[in-house]
Amino acid sequence: MTTEPTPDGRAAMRRATSTLLGMLLTLLSLGAATTPAQAAPPGYLSLEATYTTVANGWERVDRYLDTTSGFHAEQYPQDGRGDQDGQRRTFFGGVKQPYSGRFLLYSAPGWNSGSRSTPVLLVHGANDNADRAWANPGEAGGYGCGAVSCPSTGLMQYLAARGYRVFAVNFAHKQGDNLMQAQQVGDAIAVIKDRLGVSQVDLVGWSKGEMSTRAYVSSLRPAWGRPYAGDVRRLITLGGPNGGYDYPFAHGWAHDFSIWPQCGGSVNAPSPHLYMTCYGTYTAHPEFAFTPTDGYDVYPGQRQMLARFDGTYGIDMTQQDWYTTYHGGQGFYTSGTGIQTAIDAGSLIAPLHKAGVPGTVATYLLAGGSPSVLGIYNENRGPSDGVVFVDSALDRTGIANVAGTALISTANHLQLGWHSSACAQIAAWLG
């Protein structure tokens, strides 16, 4: 038999229920306070495809399209040397020359389960990709890894094995505009924040990747671009041309033999020359120029890294036509406009110095000290990693909070993403 509770009993039950409900709401509010707020994914970003069968140890790859109207299709070399290849072409939907508003976001194993609180975004350099740069340095052989013997794993595996939640961006254009790519660095960070419910990300930019990462945190952007969102904890640059570089103009003749098709060259890089003689034939290639020429502008990202070092380290006078290559004019075998014309056409070094990296971003600069890179004519005018001067990689101009610098004397420019000492130093800086 059941007995109806008395009025006093019903009042006591209501008080107990109210107390329990209050405790529950208090616990929920405490839980909400200790969970990072999850940012909404930007409305201008469209997730187009996700791939889970990925080589080189990655867990997944997502293709995104930034629909912001300022993005535009960049020009590619006519002979295909700058086309997307390998799995990257598949991830770009089978398109060999993708639209520059698209990018790939790679996720390493443990991206959603690693013990480290701040995720890491890796940003590759010129004529490179997320696979070779961070996960399989030997993908392109010795020329790609900078040494006779190449490892099969890189910084991605090193960091993931130590509990870091690792991501990497892969740009559509291998030599593209650093200001557009800086916007995509911001896009990738926004996606990571949304996925993980975090407020900040650590950035690692290698070589040309330093330009887009630094431009992002400095709010250096095109008129249509978005400013820095205040979401970077630490910025680490690896062999980044913080002070610029002039290698192609200082070593033009040797540099061009790897580029000019009539000389047997096929490297996806710009030339300081517009005309060159190969095996007795004088030919023009305006599509390889640093500056916009005859309707071509294939290498804007390289032009943006230029700065003069002739006043500090001189010019390599062993090179054919060394004077006209650097300063412009007609030489015996070559003709070009010179480095100053290219700088005036759009170098970003001075604007980056002026914009400055805010003091809220702890910045770390890593330089390589071995000037011997397999397969290229090495920078020989002063201390360098074979491509970028140590002075440039460690240049502090415009950086408000330089939290650390290091020189890995045994690493060249192409080893900075996988050399054991470099990996250990990067992990130490990430904390």
Side-chain angles (χ1 to χ4, degrees):
M1 184 177 69
T2 60
T3 303
E4 282 290 318
T6 65
D8 289 343
R10 286 196 295 270
M13 290 175 65
R14 285 195 296 270
R15 287 194 298 270
T17 301
S18 177
T19 300
L20 287 171
L21 181 60
M23 291 173 65
L24 178 61
L25 290 173
T26 299
L27 289 171
L28 288 173
S29 67
L30 286 173
T34 56
T35 301
Q38 199 164 347
Y44 49 81
L45 271 186
S46 174
L47 174 60
E48 294 188 320
T50 296
Y51 302 88
T52 55
T53 302
V54 188
N56 300 318
W58 298 100
E59 185 169 301
R60 65 184 271 186
V61 171
D62 299 284
R63 184 176 75 246
Y64 287 91
L65 170 65
D66 188 324
T67 60
T68 308
S69 60
F71 282 96
H72 61 270
E74 295 180 274
Q75 295 179 345
Y76 285 80
Q78 295 173 312
D79 60 5
R81 65 180 66 192
D83 291 358
Q84 289 293 336
D85 54 4
Q87 264 201 322
R88 279 81 57 187
R89 184 179 295 186
T90 299
F91 299 152
F92 276 114
V95 178
K96 62 184 179 179
Q97 298 181 352
Y99 171 65
S100 290
R102 289 186 167 87
F103 68 94
L104 307 177
L105 184 63
Y106 283 64
S107 303
W111 66 267
N112 59 350
S113 61
S115 59
R116 308 282 181 162
S117 58
T118 305
V120 181
L121 177 63
L122 308 176
V123 184
H124 68 78
N127 196 32
D128 212 350
N129 57 71
D131 287 302
R132 195 225 62 83
W134 310 116
N136 182 10
E139 183 183 82
Y143 179 79
C145 80
V148 174
S149 179
C150 305
S152 58
T153 60
L155 184 62
M156 180 272 280
Q157 291 92 341
Y158 185 94
L159 294 179
R162 287 159 177 77
Y164 294 93
R165 295 181 285 177
V166 182
F167 299 84
V169 68
N170 197 110
F171 299 118
H173 196 292
K174 298 178 182 180
Q175 297 277 14
D177 179 2
N178 291 299
L179 295 184
M180 284 203 294
Q181 292 181 353
Q183 293 293 297
Q184 293 178 324
V185 168
D187 290 346
I189 293 173
V191 170
I192 295 168
K193 291 193 303 182
D194 177 54
R195 276 201 209 171
L196 300 181
V198 299
S199 60
Q200 288 189 310
V201 170
D202 289 336
L203 280 178
V204 178
W206 187 1
S207 192
K208 181 178 178 291
E210 171 266 329
M211 298 291 290
S212 56
T213 56
R214 183 165 173 173
Y216 172 65
V217 300
S218 300
S219 282
L220 187 66
R221 63 193 191 275
W224 53 266
R226 296 170 290 274
Y228 172 51
D231 46 15
V232 173
R233 184 183 70 137
R234 294 177 180 172
L235 169 63
I236 300 175
T237 70
L238 314 180
N242 287 290
Y245 92 132
D246 65 352
Y247 168 90
F249 286 87
H251 307 288
W253 182 254
H255 176 68
D256 272 8
F257 271 96
S258 65
I259 297 171
W260 223 257
Q262 283 76 16
C263 294
S266 60
V267 172
N268 179 36
S271 165
H273 299 126
L274 298 177
Y275 295 84
M276 183 171 177
T277 300
C278 292
Y279 301 109
T281 303
Y282 192 60
T283 57
H285 280 289
E287 71 274 23
F288 296 148
F290 272 89
T291 58
T293 304
D294 294 347
Y296 295 104
D297 189 12
V298 178
Y299 297 99
Q302 288 282 338
R303 175 172 66 251
Q304 292 165 338
M305 296 190 288
L306 291 174
R308 294 180 64 159
F309 283 88
D310 54 318
T312 305
Y313 294 114
I315 306 171
D316 183 0
M317 291 187 291
T318 67
Q319 297 295 311
Q320 179 69 48
D321 294 349
W322 62 270
Y323 187 90
T324 53
T325 297
Y326 202 92
H327 296 288
Q330 178 67 58
F332 287 103
Y333 296 98
T334 60
S335 177
T337 57
I339 189 171
Q340 192 58 52
T341 298
I343 290 172
D344 294 343
S347 171
L348 291 181
I349 300 302
L352 280 170
H353 287 174
K354 182 178 180 180
V357 177
T360 53
V361 180
T363 304
Y364 302 82
L365 311 176
L366 184 66
S370 173
S372 180
V373 184
L374 183 70
I376 72 167
Y377 188 88
N378 296 288
E379 178 59 77
N380 56 17
R381 295 173 293 155
S384 79
D385 61 11
V387 179
V388 175
F389 288 119
V390 171
D391 289 352
S392 178
L394 301 182
D395 192 315
R396 297 166 172 249
T397 309
I399 304 174
N401 179 11
V402 177
T405 65
L407 172 66
I408 308 297
S409 61
T410 54
N412 65 39
H413 191 73
L414 293 179
Q415 293 174 318
L416 287 171
W418 59 265
H419 192 283
S420 59
S421 296
C423 290
Q425 181 63 77
I426 293 163
W429 282 339
L430 291 171

